[in-house]
Amino acid sequence: MASQQNNHTHQINFLAMNTRVTNPSCFTVVLFSITLVLAFAIRSLRFKKPKGQLPPGPWGWPILGNLFQMVMNQPAHLWVHRFMEDMHTEIACFRFFGVHVITITSSEIAREVLRDKDEALADRSESYSSNLISDAYKDINFSPYGEKLKLMKKVMTTKLMSPTTLNKTLHDRTSEADNIVTYVFNQCRLGSTTKPVNVRDVALTYCHAVMMRMMFGQRHFDKPAKDGGLGPKEKKHLDAIYRSLDCFFSFKVTNYVPFLRGWNLDVEEAEIRETVDILNKCNDPIIHKRMQLWRNEGGKETEEDWLDTLITLKDDQGMPVFTLDEIRAQCKDMNVASIDNTMNNVEWTLAEMLNHPEILEKATNELDMVVGKDRLVQESDIPQLNYIKACSRESFRLHPANALMPPHVARQDITLAGYFVPKGSHVLVSRIGLGRNPKIWDEPDAYKPERHLDDICARDSTGVTLMEPDMRLVIFSTGRRACPGIKIGSSMTFMLLARLLQGFEWKKESQVELIAADSNLFMAKPLLAYAKPRLAPALYPKMQI
């Protein structure tokens, strides 16, 4: 990352995806530090014999368990899945210091975790990064299960993500869908189709602009960019969001050894401090100014965005529901949550289509039949675009943004698939384990959107969606930790993909390398492809800033 920043000063350094390289000297420091503190910690640790049989797992060291193997096998998610394949098991148990980590690749067991026993598994794990991003666990994603979480989830589902609110903000989303088409059109015109378009840049620009409009009611922090993209402060804000994503989905020593947090033994600690500081410096002036407006100056005539809603909510006694810290935490949470799925899915989908021209042609033909070429596709058209939705769903199956779902923590002793799972265990459902499970999917490594069309016929369904009640794949979580933004996330993903396919012919000089990064499952290199306008010039709208 440092080399990118040196070579591309003041440019969008989120455009390149680098594999995070593990530093052996860091391992040495970590293990040495553990050794030093073990003498003090061992007396306070009381390892009890499990009350039942744990799921199968690798041999571990006394006290440390599998911590050493985890450190020496980064990225650890590859090691975890390798072990499960070698053991021919769909549930496994790893012990990192005093924490049992249970990993799952079976749809049946996933249903146990996310549906049948989700209340017993509704807590979240603590980590250095989640503590910082959530202002000490005050947001909806990382807060412990309890009344406050229930209240925040109710607010998200009935206020921020309600059909009424989404309908009211439709204009904002449509404006950004128009803007992103114009942004690409301008690149085609200026480059005369000789310069490839960075698809990741396009997707991130769209995601960030939509998030800003809906949360803060404005596209920019400061002055708008001349080319219709993001300005310098927006790029810095987005880069911080992008870099922070890796910090939440990784196996790190400090996630399991709390007394080592804050010692700077992990390079990610410095990075997450920097990224959270950037997010706060960008968000806080808007939040403080808006709170002053609503709580001291009488407010506005109507609530216009998510921030207005968070600030103005009152309880039965007429007091504000959320504190400043809770609002700050929720804004950062939505910053991060609104980026990865849409960006990752659209980039991978277009990459797969470029390698399968017949699929790309079929998708554009569907758009021409349903929408035509004399108007731009709208959100209201999405229900009829089943093939395009099937392409998106197939990419979510084959190329999720992260290998594993965020940890669900056992609030009590339970059993899963007949195995004992102790209280405090971290339970991780594997996205790639489900999505590429040969027991679930025929030809699991092949990109075949038609399989999802067959599903809706078999189930007599009205259309393709990103929901999966049988847990054959997991896109958005379900149960008490369900993502409240399923509808908006789905709409953003489908709209961006449909607009890019309708507005442009996409080509690549050679086969796209479908290689995922190690630290997450984003494409290892940003997708660069040539775009040529396929609609009448008058249909490409003017930039709305």
Side-chain angles (χ1 to χ4, degrees), residues 125-138:
S125 62
E126 296 183 357
S127 69
Y128 187 83
S129 56
S130 60
N131 179 56
L132 282 183
I133 198 78
S134 65
D135 283 277
Y137 310 107
K138 294 183 177 69

PDB file of all heavy atoms in Angstrom, residues 125-138:
ATOM      1  N   SER A 125     -18.201 -10.856  18.467  1.00  0.00           N
ATOM      2  CA  SER A 125     -16.879 -10.907  19.080  1.00  0.00           C
ATOM      3  C   SER A 125     -16.307  -9.503  19.203  1.00  0.00           C
ATOM      4  O   SER A 125     -16.703  -8.584  18.475  1.00  0.00           O
ATOM      5  CB  SER A 125     -15.936 -11.779  18.256  1.00  0.00           C
ATOM      6  OG  SER A 125     -15.774 -11.225  16.959  1.00  0.00           O
ATOM      7  N   GLU A 126     -15.375  -9.337  20.133  1.00  0.00           N
ATOM      8  CA  GLU A 126     -14.705  -8.055  20.316  1.00  0.00           C
ATOM      9  C   GLU A 126     -13.341  -8.089  19.638  1.00  0.00           C
ATOM     10  O   GLU A 126     -12.692  -9.130  19.569  1.00  0.00           O
ATOM     11  CB  GLU A 126     -14.540  -7.741  21.804  1.00  0.00           C
ATOM     12  CG  GLU A 126     -15.864  -7.560  22.537  1.00  0.00           C
ATOM     13  CD  GLU A 126     -15.650  -7.166  23.993  1.00  0.00           C
ATOM     14  OE1 GLU A 126     -14.485  -7.087  24.427  1.00  0.00           O
ATOM     15  OE2 GLU A 126     -16.654  -6.939  24.691  1.00  0.00           O
ATOM     16  N   SER A 127     -12.911  -6.933  19.125  1.00  0.00           N
ATOM     17  CA  SER A 127     -11.590  -6.818  18.534  1.00  0.00           C
ATOM     18  C   SER A 127     -11.163  -5.359  18.601  1.00  0.00           C
ATOM     19  O   SER A 127     -11.974  -4.464  18.863  1.00  0.00           O
ATOM     20  CB  SER A 127     -11.588  -7.283  17.065  1.00  0.00           C
ATOM     21  OG  SER A 127     -12.313  -6.374  16.248  1.00  0.00           O
ATOM     22  N   TYR A 128      -9.897  -5.126  18.382  1.00  0.00           N
ATOM     23  CA  TYR A 128      -9.371  -3.762  18.414  1.00  0.00           C
ATOM     24  C   TYR A 128     -10.044  -2.906  17.342  1.00  0.00           C
ATOM     25  O   TYR A 128     -10.457  -1.776  17.598  1.00  0.00           O
ATOM     26  CB  TYR A 128      -7.855  -3.793  18.195  1.00  0.00           C
ATOM     27  CG  TYR A 128      -7.174  -2.453  18.375  1.00  0.00           C
ATOM     28  CD1 TYR A 128      -6.815  -2.000  19.636  1.00  0.00           C
ATOM     29  CD2 TYR A 128      -6.885  -1.644  17.277  1.00  0.00           C
ATOM     30  CE1 TYR A 128      -6.190  -0.771  19.807  1.00  0.00           C
ATOM     31  CE2 TYR A 128      -6.259  -0.417  17.429  1.00  0.00           C
ATOM     32  CZ  TYR A 128      -5.912   0.011  18.706  1.00  0.00           C
ATOM     33  OH  TYR A 128      -5.295   1.229  18.875  1.00  0.00           O
ATOM     34  N   SER A 129     -10.171  -3.447  16.140  1.00  0.00           N
ATOM     35  CA  SER A 129     -10.725  -2.683  15.029  1.00  0.00           C
ATOM     36  C   SER A 129     -12.215  -2.416  15.219  1.00  0.00           C
ATOM     37  O   SER A 129     -12.692  -1.295  14.982  1.00  0.00           O
ATOM     38  CB  SER A 129     -10.484  -3.409  13.707  1.00  0.00           C
ATOM     39  OG  SER A 129     -11.020  -4.713  13.741  1.00  0.00           O
ATOM     40  N   SER A 130     -12.988  -3.421  15.632  1.00  0.00           N
ATOM     41  CA  SER A 130     -14.426  -3.213  15.802  1.00  0.00           C
ATOM     42  C   SER A 130     -14.716  -2.247  16.942  1.00  0.00           C
ATOM     43  O   SER A 130     -15.680  -1.481  16.895  1.00  0.00           O
ATOM     44  CB  SER A 130     -15.136  -4.549  16.045  1.00  0.00           C
ATOM     45  OG  SER A 130     -14.651  -5.187  17.213  1.00  0.00           O
ATOM     46  N   ASN A 131     -13.873  -2.255  17.970  1.00  0.00           N
ATOM     47  CA  ASN A 131     -14.042  -1.314  19.075  1.00  0.00           C
ATOM     48  C   ASN A 131     -13.870   0.124  18.591  1.00  0.00           C
ATOM     49  O   ASN A 131     -14.644   1.021  18.957  1.00  0.00           O
ATOM     50  CB  ASN A 131     -13.037  -1.620  20.175  1.00  0.00           C
ATOM     51  CG  ASN A 131     -13.134  -0.655  21.345  1.00  0.00           C
ATOM     52  OD1 ASN A 131     -14.191  -0.490  21.943  1.00  0.00           O
ATOM     53  ND2 ASN A 131     -12.030  -0.005  21.661  1.00  0.00           N
ATOM     54  N   LEU A 132     -12.867   0.359  17.735  1.00  0.00           N
ATOM     55  CA  LEU A 132     -12.621   1.715  17.243  1.00  0.00           C
ATOM     56  C   LEU A 132     -13.710   2.186  16.285  1.00  0.00           C
ATOM     57  O   LEU A 132     -14.205   3.306  16.405  1.00  0.00           O
ATOM     58  CB  LEU A 132     -11.265   1.779  16.545  1.00  0.00           C
ATOM     59  CG  LEU A 132     -10.017   1.853  17.427  1.00  0.00           C
ATOM     60  CD1 LEU A 132      -8.778   1.976  16.563  1.00  0.00           C
ATOM     61  CD2 LEU A 132     -10.087   3.030  18.397  1.00  0.00           C
ATOM     62  N   ILE A 133     -14.059   1.349  15.326  1.00  0.00           N
ATOM     63  CA  ILE A 133     -15.017   1.778  14.304  1.00  0.00           C
ATOM     64  C   ILE A 133     -16.395   2.008  14.904  1.00  0.00           C
ATOM     65  O   ILE A 133     -17.180   2.828  14.418  1.00  0.00           O
ATOM     66  CB  ILE A 133     -15.100   0.745  13.159  1.00  0.00           C
ATOM     67  CG1 ILE A 133     -15.729   1.379  11.909  1.00  0.00           C
ATOM     68  CG2 ILE A 133     -15.889  -0.473  13.560  1.00  0.00           C
ATOM     69  CD1 ILE A 133     -14.826   2.238  11.114  1.00  0.00           C
ATOM     70  N   SER A 134     -16.713   1.303  15.992  1.00  0.00           N
ATOM     71  CA  SER A 134     -18.055   1.381  16.578  1.00  0.00           C
ATOM     72  C   SER A 134     -18.125   2.272  17.802  1.00  0.00           C
ATOM     73  O   SER A 134     -19.140   2.269  18.497  1.00  0.00           O
ATOM     74  CB  SER A 134     -18.528  -0.031  16.963  1.00  0.00           C
ATOM     75  OG  SER A 134     -17.691  -0.559  18.000  1.00  0.00           O
ATOM     76  N   ASP A 135     -17.054   3.051  18.072  1.00  0.00           N
ATOM     77  CA  ASP A 135     -17.026   3.897  19.263  1.00  0.00           C
ATOM     78  C   ASP A 135     -17.392   3.094  20.505  1.00  0.00           C
ATOM     79  O   ASP A 135     -18.321   3.424  21.239  1.00  0.00           O
ATOM     80  CB  ASP A 135     -17.958   5.094  19.106  1.00  0.00           C
ATOM     81  CG  ASP A 135     -17.376   6.174  18.219  1.00  0.00           C
ATOM     82  OD1 ASP A 135     -16.592   6.991  18.705  1.00  0.00           O
ATOM     83  OD2 ASP A 135     -17.684   6.161  17.009  1.00  0.00           O
ATOM     84  N   ALA A 136     -16.648   2.009  20.713  1.00  0.00           N
ATOM     85  CA  ALA A 136     -16.854   1.103  21.857  1.00  0.00           C
ATOM     86  C   ALA A 136     -18.208   0.386  21.766  1.00  0.00           C
ATOM     87  O   ALA A 136     -18.994   0.355  22.724  1.00  0.00           O
ATOM     88  CB  ALA A 136     -16.718   1.841  23.181  1.00  0.00           C
ATOM     89  N   TYR A 137     -18.474  -0.201  20.591  1.00  0.00           N
ATOM     90  CA  TYR A 137     -19.616  -1.084  20.363  1.00  0.00           C
ATOM     91  C   TYR A 137     -20.958  -0.377  20.552  1.00  0.00           C
ATOM     92  O   TYR A 137     -21.860  -0.874  21.215  1.00  0.00           O
ATOM     93  CB  TYR A 137     -19.515  -2.323  21.271  1.00  0.00           C
ATOM     94  CG  TYR A 137     -18.172  -2.980  21.188  1.00  0.00           C
ATOM     95  CD1 TYR A 137     -17.255  -2.882  22.241  1.00  0.00           C
ATOM     96  CD2 TYR A 137     -17.772  -3.659  20.044  1.00  0.00           C
ATOM     97  CE1 TYR A 137     -15.990  -3.452  22.153  1.00  0.00           C
ATOM     98  CE2 TYR A 137     -16.510  -4.239  19.954  1.00  0.00           C
ATOM     99  CZ  TYR A 137     -15.634  -4.124  21.003  1.00  0.00           C
ATOM    100  OH  TYR A 137     -14.379  -4.680  20.916  1.00  0.00           O
ATOM    101  N   LYS A 138     -21.080   0.787  19.922  1.00  0.00           N
ATOM    102  CA  LYS A 138     -22.327   1.555  20.011  1.00  0.00           C
ATOM    103  C   LYS A 138     -23.117   1.524  18.705  1.00  0.00           C
ATOM    104  O   LYS A 138     -24.105   2.243  18.569  1.00  0.00           O
ATOM    105  CB  LYS A 138     -22.025   3.014  20.390  1.00  0.00           C
ATOM    106  CG  LYS A 138     -21.455   3.198  21.782  1.00  0.00           C
ATOM    107  CD  LYS A 138     -21.248   4.670  22.099  1.00  0.00           C
ATOM    108  CE  LYS A 138     -20.755   4.885  23.525  1.00  0.00           C
ATOM    109  NZ  LYS A 138     -19.381   4.411  23.714  1.00  0.00           N
TER     110      LYS A 138
END
